Amino acid sequence: MTTAPARDQYQGSQTAFITGISGQDGSYLAEHLVGAGWSVHGMIRDGDEARQHLPGVVTIHNGDLTDARRLFQLIDEVQPDAVFNLGGMSSVARSWQEPYEAALATGAASIALLEGAWLLQQRTGREVRYLQASSAEIFGNAAEVPQNESTPIRPVTPYGAAKAFAHHAVRTYRSRGLFAASAILYNHESLRRPPTFVTRRITLGVAAIALGLKDRIRLGNLNAVRDFGWAPDYVDALTRITTAHQPDDFIVATGVSHSVKEFAQCAFAAAGIPDGLSRVDTDPRFHRPVEALEMRGDPSKISATLGWTATTDFQRIVQMMVDHDISIVRQHGLAALPTD
Ligand code: GDP
């Protein structure tokens, strides 16, 4: 049965509390909710200056996901109708360098936020919803391709293990009676993707080559196959999941996968550079100790239940990122590129 999101719940004077608000998804979500009339609060870390995409009406609070006491305090203060947990260590690669930090910020913090939401709901008698940005990384070297909501959870990275913990915690609180839901997000890209991620690394590098500022780019595992989607679509999925009639877990993916090599090839073609792959070197520094070869999600459930579909295909994502990065590099030169 198709159930449309409960839009009456979505529109109007609701209050959101977003962790990770300064990141790619947090900034798109803040824009989206502000546009729908929500009052939006977000948490950022001391010293995090990345606010350039946040609407001025957003209220920012300082805090750290590893500080449970502060998380409780902020939920008490903000009294949100919905908590969106998008925060944590942003990259899989970094979780190999700081696995304990990943476990705390990406994993354990979810318990503090779920418990905070539960206690607020108990105290006020008003429903508090919780949305977890879960990840395809929970499936690790998945038992099947494509993955769906029943695919066994068996992560192979510290980031994946932390996300798996949070994913289970959501189910635990759901069974206790909290509206707790997970969006199992596959890779999603945009013009705001940080340059530490492979797609942006490629599009900035290709832009620099197109403008004659660079000859070659260096990448890691070209054979990794990922399901690359468009971040604003994924933020739309987050709000649909949070305002649905029932709390549940949903795969959010395009259902189509491409290798990193194909992404690079497509980016060079988008910049009008023939035989671009001859400009790519592989560098062991960008290889991961262990990782899944192919991640591809089956979005049938969210499509049938909440009417969500990806609007932007692979070619279009690559073309938009390359066009954008050519103008950025034209403006800022090599300063726009990541330092390796
Ligand atoms: P994440 O793994 O979801 O955090 O996203 P990334 O964009 O960092 O990586 C996606 C895939 O690209 C992984 O399989 C990486 O191993 C692969 N990859 C290949 N070359 C690179 C590179 O130079 N940088 C990064 N970040 N990833 C790379």
Side-chain angles (χ1 to χ4, degrees):
M1 195 186 73
T2 301
T3 323
R7 291 286 157 179
D8 49 333
Q9 168 89 24
Y10 174 46
Q11 296 289 345
S13 55
Q14 305 277 312
T15 300
F17 176 59
I18 305 174
T19 71
I21 197 166
S22 59
Q24 167 186 263
D25 300 351
S27 67
Y28 282 120
L29 180 62
E31 280 176 4
H32 193 89
L33 293 176
V34 165
W38 285 56
S39 158
V40 175
H41 293 249
M43 188 180 82
I44 66 172
R45 285 212 283 196
D46 282 336
D48 183 351
E49 299 299 330
R51 297 179 199 200
Q52 74 268 32
H53 299 298
L54 291 178
V57 293
V58 167
T59 309
I60 295 297
H61 306 265
N62 284 94
D64 195 306
L65 281 164
T66 60
D67 181 354
R69 200 184 296 243
R70 179 70 179 142
L71 298 177
F72 285 126
Q73 196 183 49
L74 283 175
I75 289 180
D76 273 356
E77 200 176 306
V78 173
Q79 305 249 326
D81 297 284
V83 174
F84 293 87
N85 184 22
L86 314 186
M89 189 171 282
S90 62
S91 96
V92 177
R94 222 186 108 208
S95 80
W96 283 109
Q97 284 140 24
E98 295 169 70
Y100 185 65
E101 163 86 6
L104 290 179
T106 305
S110 64
I111 285 284
L113 294 165
L114 284 157
E115 179 69 9
W118 169 254
L119 291 174
L120 179 63
Q121 178 169 289
Q122 290 305 103
R123 215 176 42 253
T124 59
R126 191 170 48 75
E127 183 177 57
V128 181
R129 297 187 167 204
Y130 177 94
L131 186 281
Q132 171 69 25
S134 189
S135 162
E137 284 285 323
I138 65 174
F139 300 129
N141 259 320
E144 54 200 356
V145 180
Q147 297 87 47
N148 61 45
E149 291 78 6
S150 310
T151 299
I153 294 174
R154 50 180 212 197
V156 294
T157 63
Y159 177 92
K163 284 283 187 187
F165 175 84
H167 192 82
H168 289 305
V170 165
R171 293 177 173 178
T172 306
Y173 274 80
R174 189 184 306 153
S175 68
R176 195 179 187 186
L178 187 74
F179 185 111
S182 283
I184 307 167
L185 302 169
Y186 282 65
N187 293 56
H188 44 287
E189 317 301 324
S190 76
L191 311 182
R192 298 181 191 170
R193 193 61 147 156
T196 44
F197 289 84
V198 74
T199 53
R200 197 76 198 280
R201 199 176 150 73
I202 292 172
T203 57
L204 281 166
V206 165
I209 292 174
L211 294 171
L213 299 177
K214 217 169 142 68
D215 283 331
R216 316 186 59 77
I217 54 176
R218 270 177 301 149
L219 297 172
N221 179 9
L222 299 179
N223 297 320
V225 176
R226 295 289 180 268
D227 182 329
F228 296 105
W230 184 237
D233 283 348
Y234 287 44
V235 161
D236 172 42
L238 299 184
T239 60
R240 285 175 190 252
I241 294 169
T242 309
T243 57
H245 291 295
Q246 305 284 343
D248 208 343
D249 304 327
F250 293 95
I251 296 274
V252 185
T254 69
V256 179
S257 56
H258 292 274
S259 66
V260 170
K261 189 191 283 177
E262 285 166 344
F263 192 103
Q265 220 159 11
C266 190
F268 279 112
I273 301 169
D275 74 337
L277 284 183
S278 62
R279 315 268 204 136
V280 175
D281 297 315
T282 52
D283 185 332
R285 273 190 307 141
F286 299 110
H287 281 262
R288 315 251 165 105
V290 184
E291 70 170 347
L293 180 60
E294 177 165 12
M295 285 185 195
R296 173 153 51 94
D298 173 2
S300 309
K301 179 174 165 184
I302 190 168
S303 160
T305 315
L306 303 178
W308 180 88
T309 47
T311 64
T312 310
D313 71 14
F314 180 75
Q315 299 260 347
R316 176 105 191 92
I317 293 170
V318 177
Q319 187 72 57
M320 283 194 287
M321 291 178 73
V322 167
D323 289 348
H324 176 257
D325 284 348
I326 287 176
S327 69
I328 294 282
V329 175
R330 192 171 276 137
Q331 231 179 318
H332 300 285
L334 289 176
L337 270 67
T339 47
D340 290 346

